[in-house]
Amino acid sequence: MASILIFAGTTEGRKIAEYLRGHAPEVYVCTATEYGKELVEEGQNIHVLAGRLDVAGMQELARECQAQMVIDATHPFAVEVSGNIRTMCGREEIRYVRVLREGDAGTDRAVWVESIREAAQYLEDKKGNILITTGSKELDPYTRIPDYKNRCFLRVLSTKEAVEQAVSHGFEGQHLLAMQGPFSREMNEQTLRHVRARYLVTKDSGRAGGFREKMEAAAAAGAVPVVIGRPREKGISLQETMDMLAKKYGFRQPRKITLAGIGPGGADCQTLEAREAMEQADLLIGSARMLAAAEGIPAEHYEEYRAGKIREFIGANSRFHRIVILLSGDTSFYSGAARLKEELRGYDVTVLPGVSSVSCLAARLGAGLEGTPCLSIHGRSCNYLDYLREYGRLFLLVSSPQDVDTVLARLCRYGWKKARVSVGSRLTYPEERIITGRAQKLAEKEIPWDPLSVLYMEAPGGRIPSGARDEDYLRGRVPMTKGEVRAVILSCLEPERGDVMWDVGAGTGSVSLQMARRALDGMVYAVERNQEAVGLIQKNRHRLRVSNVLTVRGEAPGILRALPAPDKVFVGGSSGNLPEILKKAWEKNPQARIVVSAITLNTAAACMDCMRLFPEHPAQITQIQASRARKAGSFQLMEGLNPVYIVTFEGVKQAEGERK
């Protein structure tokens, strides 16, 4: 009997095998290793074989299983294996289908090369540690990197073959990481930080190969990705392969997928079109609470909320062709719909809106949504206190009872004890509850908050210091940048809404707090070594109601190692370490803009030296001297403040996807 032969060295091969289970003729799946064999479940029409084959071995296997089609789902970089498969198919006159792995976006900071050899050559004159994640098969080029045994860290599969290959090339001890993926972004970031990597070497292995997670981790850890681009080849995508197989063997295609917002949860708030889609479905997917809202509908239920897992289930179960994925609230408001649409590209996907819990609470309270920020800390973070300061009121989605307690405690700590807060729980359910009171009173009560809650809060009246005037700050004995100079510094920095910024030598925090007010969705790291100054920054944060400033006590540049890559940097005090501070910032992000204020001629001279040390960062110098009037009898006497030099260093401009 004719069969399909799959060479499965990747996730795509396993998915195709599962997709064909019970539908196609006999399917023979060939993996290179016993480990790969264990990942594919045998049964029904699926047969799994393990072992590396040359062209002759492939021919013998194809004849034995009477293959009428060969699907090549091997790794994108297994060029030799793919070549052998094509040669075999040509000799045996068997249809050959090459499955291409879906690509994924890199980063603007990535350096792209065409081979491991080019990657090693690029790194030969670079300084700093290197994390290598390109496998154990081609290691010779890395041994040519100066001092590679101390600088290079190799991550390979936890197999005997891979470890022996690594050790034979001098990678051992703490420089050899034998681990089995897949690796999350957090795991990649921790590894990069653990080995103090300045560079990450990886292949463009696509979405299924964890490429995105590596790129995000490198950005977070301040490492430069050196990416080996894929060999160019012809073929079709995984979804196109499945569509072709469905057409050839009579599967029901195309499938219709609907992402339906079903409101806060109660049946009364479900829209008619959402209910109709649910009743016509043969598969409903969602969390347990979502599926409970569809009780009584005669469709198969699959409990899952993770986008990747949902995509895998749909891809492996072709018998379903009317699929509805249930989402709480409104699909356009902090919903999982966006991620699902991305995961389900290639399918026919329709999105249906729903009633959000925010709309429901607003209606219950008689509050308007216009001009009111609607934010969420459900599985994410945001600077909600800063929005409250700017807008005076806001709605906030939370994910746990602890979130409610935390919000109330922070309101009190930042001087909003009298803020009026309403907590709506289990909205539209029979047990719906809305509790309203002052923040301090609610915080003092031991109320068992419900996880399914949304908050509405209004700030009490009264002036909040803007931070524009010097008298807005507590100063103690700590020097402070004057208001006129702060204004020029901010105009040079040009803080944007989502910027990550450093203030090195923050003093009282006067510049940090003004930066933070501009970066409403960002974060400012106020670096200061003086304990009294650290205490003043904390007090001024609460005084000005600014929460997105994190105080970091320590000496620059050493303390900067632990900070995330900055978009903007202000250096108000360098303690003679200005070149090292600039270098550390640009190691994290070469495109960062840095502004330095120099009161002494020594610091101004240091800035001139840095202009020569870093010619790739063009600099602009501004000198400012302001005068303030002082009453002298019946006259106003102008007194000059100290002149200040303000030097702005621009970041390196890079073309998108820098290539070697």
Side-chain angles (χ1 to χ4, degrees), residues 375-379 396-401 403-404 407 423 450-455:
L375 306 174
S376 174
I377 53 173
H378 185 94
L396 184 67
L397 296 174
V398 300
S399 59
S400 70
D403 282 349
V404 181
V407 170
V423 183
D450 194 282
L452 301 176
S453 298
V454 58
L455 280 64

mmCIF file of all heavy atoms in Angstrom, residues 375-379 396-401 403-404 407 423 450-455:
data_model
loop_
_atom_site.group_PDB
_atom_site.id
_atom_site.type_symbol
_atom_site.label_atom_id
_atom_site.label_comp_id
_atom_site.label_asym_id
_atom_site.label_seq_id
_atom_site.Cartn_x
_atom_site.Cartn_y
_atom_site.Cartn_z
ATOM 1 N N LEU A 375 -6.688 50.744 32.277
ATOM 2 C CA LEU A 375 -5.411 50.037 32.331
ATOM 3 C C LEU A 375 -5.597 48.643 32.909
ATOM 4 O O LEU A 375 -6.667 48.302 33.416
ATOM 5 C CB LEU A 375 -4.407 50.824 33.179
ATOM 6 C CG LEU A 375 -4.178 52.288 32.791
ATOM 7 C CD1 LEU A 375 -3.284 52.971 33.804
ATOM 8 C CD2 LEU A 375 -3.580 52.383 31.399
ATOM 9 N N SER A 376 -4.535 47.849 32.832
ATOM 10 C CA SER A 376 -4.597 46.479 33.335
ATOM 11 C C SER A 376 -3.272 46.075 33.963
ATOM 12 O O SER A 376 -2.198 46.376 33.423
ATOM 13 C CB SER A 376 -4.929 45.512 32.190
ATOM 14 O OG SER A 376 -4.851 44.162 32.622
ATOM 15 N N ILE A 377 -3.356 45.388 35.120
ATOM 16 C CA ILE A 377 -2.187 44.712 35.689
ATOM 17 C C ILE A 377 -2.476 43.210 35.768
ATOM 18 O O ILE A 377 -1.952 42.506 36.612
ATOM 19 C CB ILE A 377 -1.808 45.280 37.080
ATOM 20 C CG1 ILE A 377 -3.010 45.283 38.039
ATOM 21 C CG2 ILE A 377 -1.227 46.667 36.947
ATOM 22 C CD1 ILE A 377 -2.642 45.673 39.472
ATOM 23 N N HIS A 378 -3.323 42.755 34.858
ATOM 24 C CA HIS A 378 -3.652 41.331 34.751
ATOM 25 C C HIS A 378 -2.555 40.662 33.918
ATOM 26 O O HIS A 378 -2.573 40.702 32.696
ATOM 27 C CB HIS A 378 -5.013 41.147 34.079
ATOM 28 C CG HIS A 378 -5.475 39.723 34.037
ATOM 29 N ND1 HIS A 378 -6.305 39.184 34.998
ATOM 30 C CD2 HIS A 378 -5.202 38.724 33.174
ATOM 31 C CE1 HIS A 378 -6.530 37.916 34.709
ATOM 32 N NE2 HIS A 378 -5.871 37.623 33.606
ATOM 33 N N GLY A 379 -1.567 40.077 34.596
ATOM 34 C CA GLY A 379 -0.457 39.438 33.893
ATOM 35 C C GLY A 379 0.517 40.406 33.266
ATOM 36 O O GLY A 379 1.318 40.024 32.408
ATOM 37 N N LEU A 396 -9.002 50.081 36.393
ATOM 38 C CA LEU A 396 -7.848 49.180 36.459
ATOM 39 C C LEU A 396 -8.308 47.738 36.607
ATOM 40 O O LEU A 396 -9.032 47.396 37.551
ATOM 41 C CB LEU A 396 -6.951 49.558 37.642
ATOM 42 C CG LEU A 396 -5.655 48.766 37.802
ATOM 43 C CD1 LEU A 396 -4.699 49.066 36.649
ATOM 44 C CD2 LEU A 396 -4.982 49.088 39.138
ATOM 45 N N LEU A 397 -7.883 46.885 35.673
ATOM 46 C CA LEU A 397 -8.143 45.452 35.761
ATOM 47 C C LEU A 397 -7.053 44.801 36.608
ATOM 48 O O LEU A 397 -5.872 45.132 36.465
ATOM 49 C CB LEU A 397 -8.142 44.815 34.372
ATOM 50 C CG LEU A 397 -9.227 45.270 33.394
ATOM 51 C CD1 LEU A 397 -8.982 44.655 32.021
ATOM 52 C CD2 LEU A 397 -10.601 44.895 33.899
ATOM 53 N N VAL A 398 -7.425 43.871 37.482
ATOM 54 C CA VAL A 398 -6.464 43.161 38.327
ATOM 55 C C VAL A 398 -6.607 41.664 38.101
ATOM 56 O O VAL A 398 -7.569 41.197 37.491
ATOM 57 C CB VAL A 398 -6.654 43.502 39.820
ATOM 58 C CG1 VAL A 398 -6.459 44.986 40.060
ATOM 59 C CG2 VAL A 398 -8.032 43.060 40.299
ATOM 60 N N SER A 399 -5.637 40.898 38.623
ATOM 61 C CA SER A 399 -5.637 39.457 38.371
ATOM 62 C C SER A 399 -5.693 38.614 39.635
ATOM 63 O O SER A 399 -5.698 37.392 39.553
ATOM 64 C CB SER A 399 -4.385 39.073 37.573
ATOM 65 O OG SER A 399 -3.213 39.435 38.269
ATOM 66 N N SER A 400 -5.705 39.256 40.821
ATOM 67 C CA SER A 400 -5.706 38.468 42.052
ATOM 68 C C SER A 400 -6.174 39.332 43.216
ATOM 69 O O SER A 400 -6.130 40.573 43.143
ATOM 70 C CB SER A 400 -4.298 37.936 42.350
ATOM 71 O OG SER A 400 -3.440 39.004 42.733
ATOM 72 N N PRO A 401 -6.608 38.706 44.325
ATOM 73 C CA PRO A 401 -6.958 39.488 45.526
ATOM 74 C C PRO A 401 -5.775 40.297 46.038
ATOM 75 O O PRO A 401 -5.941 41.412 46.547
ATOM 76 C CB PRO A 401 -7.377 38.406 46.529
ATOM 77 C CG PRO A 401 -7.771 37.225 45.702
ATOM 78 C CD PRO A 401 -6.880 37.266 44.506
ATOM 79 N N ASP A 403 -3.553 41.743 44.279
ATOM 80 C CA ASP A 403 -3.432 42.966 43.481
ATOM 81 C C ASP A 403 -4.256 44.099 44.085
ATOM 82 O O ASP A 403 -3.813 45.253 44.125
ATOM 83 C CB ASP A 403 -3.897 42.705 42.047
ATOM 84 C CG ASP A 403 -2.859 41.981 41.202
ATOM 85 O OD1 ASP A 403 -1.718 41.873 41.655
ATOM 86 O OD2 ASP A 403 -3.210 41.534 40.094
ATOM 87 N N VAL A 404 -5.466 43.786 44.534
ATOM 88 C CA VAL A 404 -6.321 44.821 45.123
ATOM 89 C C VAL A 404 -5.668 45.390 46.380
ATOM 90 O O VAL A 404 -5.604 46.616 46.568
ATOM 91 C CB VAL A 404 -7.718 44.255 45.460
ATOM 92 C CG1 VAL A 404 -8.602 45.358 46.055
ATOM 93 C CG2 VAL A 404 -8.375 43.668 44.215
ATOM 94 N N VAL A 407 -2.710 47.642 45.399
ATOM 95 C CA VAL A 407 -3.138 48.941 44.868
ATOM 96 C C VAL A 407 -3.555 49.873 46.005
ATOM 97 O O VAL A 407 -3.149 51.046 46.052
ATOM 98 C CB VAL A 407 -4.292 48.758 43.862
ATOM 99 C CG1 VAL A 407 -4.901 50.118 43.494
ATOM 100 C CG2 VAL A 407 -3.797 48.060 42.599
ATOM 101 N N VAL A 423 -14.490 48.761 43.941
ATOM 102 C CA VAL A 423 -13.999 47.454 43.509
ATOM 103 C C VAL A 423 -15.209 46.620 43.088
ATOM 104 O O VAL A 423 -16.050 46.266 43.922
ATOM 105 C CB VAL A 423 -13.223 46.737 44.633
ATOM 106 C CG1 VAL A 423 -12.668 45.409 44.120
ATOM 107 C CG2 VAL A 423 -12.102 47.623 45.161
ATOM 108 N N ASP A 450 -12.116 39.344 45.452
ATOM 109 C CA ASP A 450 -12.273 38.300 44.433
ATOM 110 C C ASP A 450 -11.257 38.518 43.310
ATOM 111 O O ASP A 450 -10.977 39.665 42.947
ATOM 112 C CB ASP A 450 -13.699 38.340 43.858
ATOM 113 C CG ASP A 450 -14.030 37.095 43.052
ATOM 114 O OD1 ASP A 450 -13.579 37.010 41.900
ATOM 115 O OD2 ASP A 450 -14.721 36.214 43.588
ATOM 116 N N PRO A 451 -10.708 37.435 42.744
ATOM 117 C CA PRO A 451 -9.747 37.610 41.637
ATOM 118 C C PRO A 451 -10.367 38.306 40.426
ATOM 119 O O PRO A 451 -9.689 39.040 39.712
ATOM 120 C CB PRO A 451 -9.332 36.182 41.292
ATOM 121 C CG PRO A 451 -9.653 35.374 42.499
ATOM 122 C CD PRO A 451 -10.835 36.018 43.136
ATOM 123 N N LEU A 452 -11.652 38.055 40.159
ATOM 124 C CA LEU A 452 -12.308 38.644 38.995
ATOM 125 C C LEU A 452 -12.824 40.030 39.354
ATOM 126 O O LEU A 452 -14.015 40.235 39.573
ATOM 127 C CB LEU A 452 -13.455 37.743 38.530
ATOM 128 C CG LEU A 452 -13.059 36.315 38.144
ATOM 129 C CD1 LEU A 452 -14.286 35.511 37.791
ATOM 130 C CD2 LEU A 452 -12.081 36.342 36.998
ATOM 131 N N SER A 453 -11.903 40.983 39.442
ATOM 132 C CA SER A 453 -12.269 42.326 39.908
ATOM 133 C C SER A 453 -11.773 43.392 38.947
ATOM 134 O O SER A 453 -10.785 43.201 38.227
ATOM 135 C CB SER A 453 -11.689 42.591 41.309
ATOM 136 O OG SER A 453 -12.200 41.689 42.264
ATOM 137 N N VAL A 454 -12.484 44.520 38.955
ATOM 138 C CA VAL A 454 -12.040 45.707 38.247
ATOM 139 C C VAL A 454 -12.209 46.884 39.196
ATOM 140 O O VAL A 454 -13.180 46.943 39.960
ATOM 141 C CB VAL A 454 -12.825 45.913 36.929
ATOM 142 C CG1 VAL A 454 -14.315 46.013 37.186
ATOM 143 C CG2 VAL A 454 -12.335 47.156 36.192
ATOM 144 N N LEU A 455 -11.230 47.809 39.198
ATOM 145 C CA LEU A 455 -11.241 48.946 40.113
ATOM 146 C C LEU A 455 -11.513 50.239 39.358
ATOM 147 O O LEU A 455 -11.074 50.406 38.206
ATOM 148 C CB LEU A 455 -9.898 49.082 40.837
ATOM 149 C CG LEU A 455 -9.606 48.174 42.043
ATOM 150 C CD1 LEU A 455 -9.548 46.715 41.636
ATOM 151 C CD2 LEU A 455 -8.318 48.593 42.715
#
